[in-house]
Amino acid sequence: MGKTTMHKIDMTTWPRAELFRFFSGVSQPFYSVTFRVDVTNLHAYTKARGISFYYALGYLVTDAVNSVVNFRYTIRDGEVWLLDKRIPSLTDLRPGSEQFHIVTLPKTGTLDEFCCAAKAKSAAQKSFLDQDCETDALIYISTTPWFDLTSCTNERDFDKDDAIPRITWGKYVPENGRETLGMSLEVNHRFIDGYHLGQFYQKLQKSIDEL
């Protein structure tokens, strides 16, 4: 498991301190948005190489998350910390089964190498969840490839300090000669505003378009 480092935020100089305190005062600081992503190039790329579209998009989503500072804040013992990176944790169906498990591994190497590593770890994993991998430095990633996703909510034990992004996408569908899918992000407003979601989207779409 890749080690994640972090440093503590000085609340007296942090530019977001006022916004953080404002959204800390609401009883439910979480919100979600769903938007469309053009995945035409990614579908062609993965099909040509015989690799998983799901793992590949998980790799690019992780890159996009880690490129935006606000996605990497977390809270430990009431204090704000900035992680150097977040780690993807992906739901994955067992072959020939309706039951899924959760595969967590660091995003390392090339896109193709990550897809191979994720496939190997998923195939070898015997448990539903590796508890040793469960930290606040994760990204919860899932997909609903059977239908076009238009919105999404997530189960959770309510904890206002939970800053783990939840990212889900649906089936890619034809649209004006391209292929797009609906992607949902559920985040904590104490750290992440619409502006930061826009930064995530721009990074993700640019990475796909450049494949």
Side-chain angles (χ1 to χ4, degrees):
M1 196 62 190
K3 185 178 180 180
T4 298
T5 60
M6 62 182 186
H7 70 266
K8 189 165 68 173
I9 296 299
D10 182 349
M11 298 298 287
T12 65
T13 59
W14 189 34
R16 189 172 179 82
E18 184 177 10
L19 276 170
F20 174 81
R21 292 189 183 102
F22 176 83
F23 287 110
S24 296
V26 303
S27 59
Q28 199 287 87
F30 306 102
Y31 70 101
S32 64
V33 299
T34 304
F35 50 84
R36 301 207 71 77
V37 179
D38 186 324
V39 295
T40 308
N41 286 12
L42 181 61
H43 187 200
Y45 181 97
T46 56
K47 186 176 181 181
R49 287 161 177 79
I51 58 177
S52 165
F53 176 90
Y54 176 51
Y55 297 151
L57 188 49
Y59 178 98
L60 297 179
V61 159
T62 301
D63 260 356
V65 163
N66 285 329
S67 74
V68 182
V69 169
N70 289 63
F71 276 85
R72 292 189 277 113
Y73 288 121
T74 192
I75 299 174
R76 295 185 182 178
D77 298 323
E79 295 181 313
V80 178
W81 298 77
L82 179 63
L83 304 163
D84 70 327
K85 64 182 177 182
R86 286 192 173 275
I87 298 167
S89 186
L90 305 97
T91 63
D92 204 8
L93 273 181
R94 298 182 183 279
S97 172
E98 297 179 4
Q99 309 307 316
F100 72 93
H101 57 196
I102 296 175
V103 180
T104 302
L105 74 165
K107 195 233 80 179
T108 58
T110 65
L111 187 154
D112 297 60
E113 289 168 345
F114 175 80
C115 289
C116 290
K119 181 179 180 181
K121 180 159 189 183
S122 181
Q125 185 167 313
K126 302 303 182 184
S127 60
F128 167 70
L129 177 70
D130 182 353
Q131 291 289 351
D132 291 338
C133 295
E134 287 300 293
T135 75
D136 62 352
L138 301 180
I139 310 164
Y140 292 158
I141 295 173
S142 190
T143 186
T144 57
W146 311 278
F147 52 84
D148 187 16
L149 186 73
T150 57
S151 66
C152 184
T153 58
N154 291 273
E155 75 292 336
R156 65 169 72 237
D157 288 324
F158 190 82
D159 177 5
K160 288 174 67 172
D161 290 350
D162 182 351
I164 297 175
R166 277 103 164 134
I167 303 178
T168 307
W169 55 85
K171 179 181 181 180
Y172 48 77
V173 296
E175 183 176 339
N176 300 321
R178 306 287 292 178
E179 289 176 317
T180 69
L181 54 74
M183 178 174 288
S184 168
L185 271 70
E186 186 172 304
V187 295
N188 193 323
H189 213 335
R190 297 169 81 185
F191 296 119
I192 298 172
D193 306 325
Y195 177 82
H196 308 114
L197 298 179
Q199 289 181 308
F200 165 88
Y201 165 75
Q202 290 166 8
K203 167 66 175 175
L204 177 61
Q205 190 63 72
K206 185 173 185 290
S207 296
I208 293 172
D209 292 344
E210 290 177 347
L211 288 174

mmCIF file of all heavy atoms in Angstrom, residues 113-131:
data_model
loop_
_atom_site.group_PDB
_atom_site.id
_atom_site.type_symbol
_atom_site.label_atom_id
_atom_site.label_comp_id
_atom_site.label_asym_id
_atom_site.label_seq_id
_atom_site.Cartn_x
_atom_site.Cartn_y
_atom_site.Cartn_z
ATOM 1 N N GLU A 113 -0.349 -0.026 -16.742
ATOM 2 C CA GLU A 113 0.206 -0.790 -15.631
ATOM 3 C C GLU A 113 -0.758 -0.825 -14.455
ATOM 4 O O GLU A 113 -0.909 -1.855 -13.790
ATOM 5 C CB GLU A 113 1.549 -0.195 -15.212
ATOM 6 C CG GLU A 113 2.658 -0.444 -16.220
ATOM 7 C CD GLU A 113 3.907 0.387 -15.956
ATOM 8 O OE1 GLU A 113 3.827 1.367 -15.174
ATOM 9 O OE2 GLU A 113 4.959 0.069 -16.548
ATOM 10 N N PHE A 114 -1.420 0.297 -14.182
ATOM 11 C CA PHE A 114 -2.388 0.327 -13.095
ATOM 12 C C PHE A 114 -3.545 -0.623 -13.379
ATOM 13 O O PHE A 114 -4.005 -1.345 -12.471
ATOM 14 C CB PHE A 114 -2.923 1.741 -12.885
ATOM 15 C CG PHE A 114 -4.019 1.820 -11.864
ATOM 16 C CD1 PHE A 114 -3.729 1.828 -10.510
ATOM 17 C CD2 PHE A 114 -5.351 1.881 -12.254
ATOM 18 C CE1 PHE A 114 -4.742 1.883 -9.563
ATOM 19 C CE2 PHE A 114 -6.371 1.941 -11.318
ATOM 20 C CZ PHE A 114 -6.065 1.946 -9.970
ATOM 21 N N CYS A 115 -4.032 -0.638 -14.605
ATOM 22 C CA CYS A 115 -5.141 -1.529 -14.959
ATOM 23 C C CYS A 115 -4.753 -2.989 -14.733
ATOM 24 O O CYS A 115 -5.557 -3.785 -14.214
ATOM 25 C CB CYS A 115 -5.551 -1.311 -16.408
ATOM 26 S SG CYS A 115 -6.397 0.263 -16.710
ATOM 27 N N CYS A 116 -3.532 -3.339 -15.087
ATOM 28 C CA CYS A 116 -3.059 -4.718 -14.869
ATOM 29 C C CYS A 116 -2.952 -5.020 -13.379
ATOM 30 O O CYS A 116 -3.326 -6.108 -12.925
ATOM 31 C CB CYS A 116 -1.713 -4.920 -15.563
ATOM 32 S SG CYS A 116 -1.811 -4.924 -17.364
ATOM 33 N N ALA A 117 -2.440 -4.059 -12.612
ATOM 34 C CA ALA A 117 -2.281 -4.262 -11.171
ATOM 35 C C ALA A 117 -3.637 -4.396 -10.487
ATOM 36 O O ALA A 117 -3.824 -5.236 -9.594
ATOM 37 C CB ALA A 117 -1.490 -3.109 -10.567
ATOM 38 N N ALA A 118 -4.597 -3.562 -10.881
ATOM 39 C CA ALA A 118 -5.932 -3.624 -10.289
ATOM 40 C C ALA A 118 -6.622 -4.940 -10.625
ATOM 41 O O ALA A 118 -7.268 -5.561 -9.765
ATOM 42 C CB ALA A 118 -6.773 -2.449 -10.779
ATOM 43 N N LYS A 119 -6.465 -5.388 -11.851
ATOM 44 C CA LYS A 119 -7.061 -6.662 -12.262
ATOM 45 C C LYS A 119 -6.479 -7.811 -11.457
ATOM 46 O O LYS A 119 -7.215 -8.694 -10.982
ATOM 47 C CB LYS A 119 -6.820 -6.886 -13.757
ATOM 48 C CG LYS A 119 -7.414 -8.177 -14.290
ATOM 49 C CD LYS A 119 -7.163 -8.326 -15.790
ATOM 50 C CE LYS A 119 -7.760 -9.622 -16.328
ATOM 51 N NZ LYS A 119 -7.500 -9.770 -17.788
ATOM 52 N N ALA A 120 -5.154 -7.797 -11.270
ATOM 53 C CA ALA A 120 -4.496 -8.863 -10.520
ATOM 54 C C ALA A 120 -4.910 -8.843 -9.049
ATOM 55 O O ALA A 120 -5.176 -9.895 -8.454
ATOM 56 C CB ALA A 120 -2.980 -8.720 -10.640
ATOM 57 N N LYS A 121 -4.983 -7.671 -8.457
ATOM 58 C CA LYS A 121 -5.366 -7.594 -7.048
ATOM 59 C C LYS A 121 -6.814 -8.018 -6.858
ATOM 60 O O LYS A 121 -7.142 -8.726 -5.894
ATOM 61 C CB LYS A 121 -5.168 -6.183 -6.511
ATOM 62 C CG LYS A 121 -5.567 -6.079 -5.046
ATOM 63 C CD LYS A 121 -4.960 -4.925 -4.309
ATOM 64 C CE LYS A 121 -5.247 -5.048 -2.817
ATOM 65 N NZ LYS A 121 -4.747 -3.917 -2.032
ATOM 66 N N SER A 122 -7.689 -7.608 -7.760
ATOM 67 C CA SER A 122 -9.092 -7.997 -7.658
ATOM 68 C C SER A 122 -9.239 -9.512 -7.758
ATOM 69 O O SER A 122 -9.992 -10.130 -6.994
ATOM 70 C CB SER A 122 -9.905 -7.314 -8.752
ATOM 71 O OG SER A 122 -11.268 -7.654 -8.663
ATOM 72 N N ALA A 123 -8.507 -10.132 -8.683
ATOM 73 C CA ALA A 123 -8.610 -11.579 -8.884
ATOM 74 C C ALA A 123 -8.082 -12.352 -7.673
ATOM 75 O O ALA A 123 -8.590 -13.427 -7.332
ATOM 76 C CB ALA A 123 -7.848 -11.979 -10.138
ATOM 77 N N ALA A 124 -7.047 -11.802 -7.014
ATOM 78 C CA ALA A 124 -6.419 -12.502 -5.894
ATOM 79 C C ALA A 124 -7.134 -12.278 -4.570
ATOM 80 O O ALA A 124 -6.983 -13.074 -3.632
ATOM 81 C CB ALA A 124 -4.959 -12.053 -5.763
ATOM 82 N N GLN A 125 -7.929 -11.219 -4.477
ATOM 83 C CA GLN A 125 -8.542 -10.848 -3.195
ATOM 84 C C GLN A 125 -9.637 -11.836 -2.801
ATOM 85 O O GLN A 125 -10.542 -12.118 -3.581
ATOM 86 C CB GLN A 125 -9.102 -9.428 -3.286
ATOM 87 C CG GLN A 125 -9.658 -8.901 -1.979
ATOM 88 C CD GLN A 125 -9.916 -7.406 -2.025
ATOM 89 O OE1 GLN A 125 -9.078 -6.634 -2.461
ATOM 90 N NE2 GLN A 125 -11.093 -6.982 -1.597
ATOM 91 N N LYS A 126 -9.561 -12.322 -1.583
ATOM 92 C CA LYS A 126 -10.534 -13.304 -1.096
ATOM 93 C C LYS A 126 -11.601 -12.678 -0.204
ATOM 94 O O LYS A 126 -12.706 -13.211 -0.085
ATOM 95 C CB LYS A 126 -9.814 -14.405 -0.311
ATOM 96 C CG LYS A 126 -8.753 -15.142 -1.105
ATOM 97 C CD LYS A 126 -9.306 -15.776 -2.363
ATOM 98 C CE LYS A 126 -8.226 -16.546 -3.110
ATOM 99 N NZ LYS A 126 -8.739 -17.094 -4.405
ATOM 100 N N SER A 127 -11.277 -11.553 0.420
ATOM 101 C CA SER A 127 -12.217 -10.924 1.347
ATOM 102 C C SER A 127 -13.015 -9.833 0.643
ATOM 103 O O SER A 127 -12.642 -9.350 -0.434
ATOM 104 C CB SER A 127 -11.452 -10.303 2.522
ATOM 105 O OG SER A 127 -10.550 -9.317 2.062
ATOM 106 N N PHE A 128 -14.120 -9.453 1.265
ATOM 107 C CA PHE A 128 -14.915 -8.341 0.731
ATOM 108 C C PHE A 128 -14.136 -7.038 0.784
ATOM 109 O O PHE A 128 -14.184 -6.222 -0.130
ATOM 110 C CB PHE A 128 -16.212 -8.199 1.531
ATOM 111 C CG PHE A 128 -16.949 -6.909 1.269
ATOM 112 C CD1 PHE A 128 -17.567 -6.676 0.046
ATOM 113 C CD2 PHE A 128 -17.018 -5.924 2.250
ATOM 114 C CE1 PHE A 128 -18.235 -5.481 -0.207
ATOM 115 C CE2 PHE A 128 -17.679 -4.729 2.007
ATOM 116 C CZ PHE A 128 -18.291 -4.519 0.782
ATOM 117 N N LEU A 129 -13.379 -6.855 1.887
ATOM 118 C CA LEU A 129 -12.703 -5.589 2.136
ATOM 119 C C LEU A 129 -11.434 -5.843 2.926
ATOM 120 O O LEU A 129 -11.451 -6.587 3.898
ATOM 121 C CB LEU A 129 -13.642 -4.659 2.928
ATOM 122 C CG LEU A 129 -13.122 -3.303 3.372
ATOM 123 C CD1 LEU A 129 -12.932 -2.390 2.183
ATOM 124 C CD2 LEU A 129 -14.104 -2.665 4.364
ATOM 125 N N ASP A 130 -10.345 -5.219 2.503
ATOM 126 C CA ASP A 130 -9.089 -5.296 3.251
ATOM 127 C C ASP A 130 -9.074 -4.151 4.266
ATOM 128 O O ASP A 130 -8.834 -3.006 3.914
ATOM 129 C CB ASP A 130 -7.904 -5.185 2.290
ATOM 130 C CG ASP A 130 -6.554 -5.309 3.001
ATOM 131 O OD1 ASP A 130 -6.531 -5.347 4.247
ATOM 132 O OD2 ASP A 130 -5.526 -5.346 2.291
ATOM 133 N N GLN A 131 -9.347 -4.478 5.514
ATOM 134 C CA GLN A 131 -9.467 -3.447 6.546
ATOM 135 C C GLN A 131 -8.168 -2.671 6.748
ATOM 136 O O GLN A 131 -8.193 -1.511 7.175
ATOM 137 C CB GLN A 131 -9.909 -4.075 7.872
ATOM 138 C CG GLN A 131 -11.334 -4.599 7.863
ATOM 139 C CD GLN A 131 -12.381 -3.495 7.836
ATOM 140 O OE1 GLN A 131 -12.076 -2.324 7.992
ATOM 141 N NE2 GLN A 131 -13.633 -3.875 7.627
#
